[in-house]
Amino acid sequence: MGPMTIFDKSALQALSMDEAVWFDAFFGVNVVPVFYIETLADLEKNLADGRDAEDLVGMLAEKTPSNAYPNVHHRKLIAADLAGHRIELDGRPVISAGELMRAEDGSVGVHIEEFPEQAALLRWQEHDFLAVERTLAKDWRAELAGHDPDRLTGMVKNILPSGRKISDLEQLKAFIDEFCSGNDPQVVALALEVLGVDDHHRRLGQQRWEQAGHPSLDEFFPYACHAFKVDLLFYLGIERGFISGERASNWADMAYLYYLPFASVFTSADRLHRRTVPLFLGENQSYLPADEMKAALAEMDAHYGALPDQIKELGVLAFASYPPAGLDNAVTQLWDHLMSPAWREVARKREAELSKPRDEAAEKMTLDEIKQRLANAEPLAEEGGEPEGGADYFVTSRRVPARKGKWRMVSEEIEKAEDGN
C-alpha cells in the first residue's frame, strides 16, 4: 500500500495526471473531509484564466487516488473521545464501518462495505459534486460560516504567560504542549468551549474526567487534546502575529491538521502547512513539500516509461507494487523511513519476475480461492466480539479506472472481463 498520506488541494494541483498515477500506486491515502470543501469552493469562483470551474474540480477528482480511505469527520472523533471510546492515533485512517468475520481457516478479518464517507468518495470520483455537497460539504460550510476567529482569539489570549519569550510558532507550540499537560479544571473547560463541544458530550467528558481523578488533558482525552492544540496554535498564532487572521482560508487550511494522527505523511504546497504541520508530527511521520513529491513522481514516470510495451500492457497495478528499487528520491526515501527496510530487496525480485512468463492459470486459481474464502466467512459478533490481538486481515473494494493519463491501470483482459465482454 505504501505510507498512509494526507494531501490538500495544492498538492494534487501540482501533479500532472501521469504523476498522479504513481502517487496512487505508492501511497495509501486518507481523504479528509476538508479536502472536498477546499476543492468545491472553486465551483463558486470565476477562474481568472477563463477555464470552467467544474472542469478544474473534475480534473482534481480524476487525480484523486483510488487507493483511498475517507476519514471520519473530526467532530465525531472528538465526541467519541469524550465518551470514552478509544481513538487510535497510530497513522491509520479512522473509518465508520466494518464487520468482523471469521474465515474457514479460523482467521479473523474486517469486511468493509460502503459507508457514508466512502459513498461520498465514490460520488466524488464520478463527478457527482452536488451529492458530495449535500452529504459532506453542507455541514462544513455552515461551520465555516459561523466561525468567529476574533471571539475565540479573545477567549484564549489570556493563557499566554506575560514573562515568557514566545517569538515564533515553534516556541508557541512548546508552550501549548506544556499548557495541555496539566490537570487544571479550567484547562479542560476551555478546551471544551474552544472545540465547540455540544452540551451532552461536554457534561459526559467532564464527568468521566472527574471520576478518573483529574488526569492530564493530553493523557485522558488524547484526540480531543490534539484538536485543541491545533486550535490554540491558530488562535494564539493570530494573537501574536505569526498567522494572518485576515485570510479566511487559513482556518480551513488548519483543519487539515486535525487529521494528522491518522497518516504517516502530509504533502502540500501551502505555506501555512509548511510552517505548522511539522510542529505536530511524531518520529514516524513526515512532511513532504508538494514540489519534492512532484519531482520524485516525475522521475518514476520516466523510469516506467522506458519499460517494454509488453510489461506496460499488464497494467500499473500488476507491475508497480513497489517503487523502483534503484531510485533514490523523496518517495523512495519515505519508503526507507516508514515502510519495511527490506522493501528494496522485495522490489528487485518483483522487477526480475516481470520478464518471466505469467502463470495465468495459477493467478486465476488464487483469485478464485480468495473470493471463495471471503464468500464463506461468517460474522464474528455471535462469538463474543473482537478476539485478543485484533484482526488478521481486512477487505474492502475500490473502483479503479482502466486507464489514467497515458497509463493502463489494469490489463485489457481484466478491463474486458469487468465490462462483461
Side-chain angles (χ1 to χ4, degrees):
M1 179 185 296
M4 188 57 63
T5 303
I6 291 173
F7 62 91
D8 72 343
K9 185 184 74 170
S10 69
L12 217 54
Q13 283 180 310
L15 302 180
S16 70
M17 193 64 71
D18 293 329
E19 291 159 358
V21 168
W22 307 113
F23 181 39
D24 196 353
F26 302 130
F27 291 89
V29 169
N30 183 342
V31 181
V32 301
V34 68
F35 165 71
Y36 299 114
I37 313 311
E38 185 187 22
T39 306
L40 288 174
D42 283 336
L43 288 178
E44 300 179 356
K45 297 178 181 178
N46 294 318
L47 300 183
D49 59 5
R51 286 182 297 166
D52 183 81
E54 189 163 352
D55 289 342
L56 174 61
V57 175
M59 179 185 65
L60 292 175
E62 290 172 9
K63 290 182 184 180
T64 301
S66 303
N67 192 20
Y69 301 85
N71 209 93
V72 172
H73 194 287
H74 73 279
R75 292 211 170 275
K76 293 182 180 179
L77 297 176
I78 291 171
D81 193 16
L82 295 173
H85 298 286
R86 186 174 65 184
I87 308 297
E88 299 289 356
L89 312 182
D90 59 2
R92 295 180 295 175
V94 178
I95 60 175
S96 62
E99 183 179 11
L100 283 168
M101 306 284 282
R102 186 178 296 279
E104 290 180 318
D105 63 0
S107 60
V108 174
V110 180
H111 292 226
I112 302 170
E113 303 298 336
E114 187 173 279
F115 50 95
E117 293 85 2
Q118 189 180 47
L121 177 61
L122 179 60
R123 302 292 177 269
W124 175 260
Q125 292 169 334
E126 293 176 341
H127 295 202
D128 188 357
F129 304 128
L130 290 179
V132 178
E133 170 71 29
R134 288 193 301 270
T135 56
L136 281 183
K138 183 178 179 181
D139 290 343
W140 260 105
R141 290 195 186 281
E143 187 170 344
L144 287 169
H147 181 232
D148 187 353
D150 291 337
R151 181 183 72 86
L152 291 165
T153 300
M155 183 185 301
V156 302
K157 66 180 182 180
N158 291 330
I159 72 172
L160 288 168
S162 58
R164 178 167 174 171
K165 180 182 179 181
I166 297 179
S167 56
D168 55 31
L169 285 173
E170 289 79 5
Q171 293 178 357
L172 180 58
K173 176 58 165 53
F175 162 73
I176 290 170
D177 288 340
E178 294 174 17
F179 181 76
C180 292
S181 65
N183 63 349
D184 188 331
Q186 293 183 349
V187 175
V188 176
L190 180 64
L192 297 175
E193 180 66 26
V194 170
L195 291 172
V197 177
D198 63 84
D199 291 341
H200 169 70
H201 286 94
R202 186 177 303 198
R203 288 193 299 269
L204 182 59
Q206 286 179 323
Q207 289 171 1
R208 291 186 55 250
W209 179 73
E210 291 170 0
Q211 291 169 359
H214 295 200
S216 66
L217 179 65
D218 54 4
E219 173 189 346
F220 196 64
F221 298 125
Y223 180 70
C225 186
H226 166 77
F228 180 48
K229 288 180 178 182
V230 171
D231 284 346
L232 284 181
L233 189 78
F234 180 59
Y235 299 121
L236 294 177
I238 291 175
E239 169 64 19
R240 284 297 173 102
F242 305 147
I243 296 174
S244 172
E246 297 179 359
R247 188 168 180 259
S249 61
N250 274 348
W251 189 56
D253 291 335
M254 287 295 291
Y256 279 93
L257 277 65
Y258 294 140
Y259 302 92
L260 291 179
F262 313 122
S264 298
V265 178
F266 187 92
T267 182
S268 170
D270 184 82
R271 286 181 294 178
L272 184 60
H273 286 156
R274 186 185 292 266
R275 297 170 59 217
T276 58
V277 167
L279 302 176
F280 289 87
L281 298 182
E283 182 179 350
N284 293 319
Q285 293 180 298
S286 297
Y287 174 77
L288 181 59
D291 57 344
E292 295 182 22
M293 169 78 86
K294 178 179 177 64
L297 297 178
E299 184 179 13
M300 291 176 170
D301 190 62
H303 169 87
Y304 287 112
L307 290 177
D309 288 342
Q310 61 265 32
I311 292 180
K312 296 179 189 176
E313 289 169 0
L314 298 176
V316 168
L317 296 184
F319 68 75
S321 7
Y322 292 85
L327 295 186
D328 183 24
N329 58 34
V331 170
T332 58
Q333 288 166 14
L334 278 177
W335 272 67
D336 289 337
H337 176 53
L338 298 170
M339 305 300 289
S340 166
W343 78 265
R344 288 184 187 265
E345 180 181 349
V346 176
R348 289 188 180 93
K349 291 180 180 179
R350 293 286 181 91
E351 290 168 5
E353 290 170 357
L354 287 174
S355 60
K356 300 178 181 178
R358 294 170 59 199
D359 188 343
E360 297 183 13
E363 291 176 3
K364 186 176 188 304
M365 182 181 300
T366 301
L367 181 59
D368 289 342
E369 288 173 350
I370 292 173
K371 290 181 177 179
Q372 188 64 40
R373 172 181 174 177
L374 298 180
N376 292 339
E378 298 181 352
L380 189 67
E382 298 178 359
E383 302 180 24
E386 184 175 355
E388 184 177 354
D392 301 306
Y393 67 91
F394 79 93
V395 179
T396 188
S397 60
R398 57 190 176 110
R399 181 169 297 185
V400 178
R403 302 192 70 92
K404 192 169 183 177
K406 70 185 178 211
W407 292 98
R408 176 169 284 283
M409 301 302 293
V410 297
S411 68
E412 185 177 2
E413 175 187 4
I414 292 176
E415 180 183 4
K416 289 181 177 180
E418 291 299 315
D419 289 340
N421 297 328

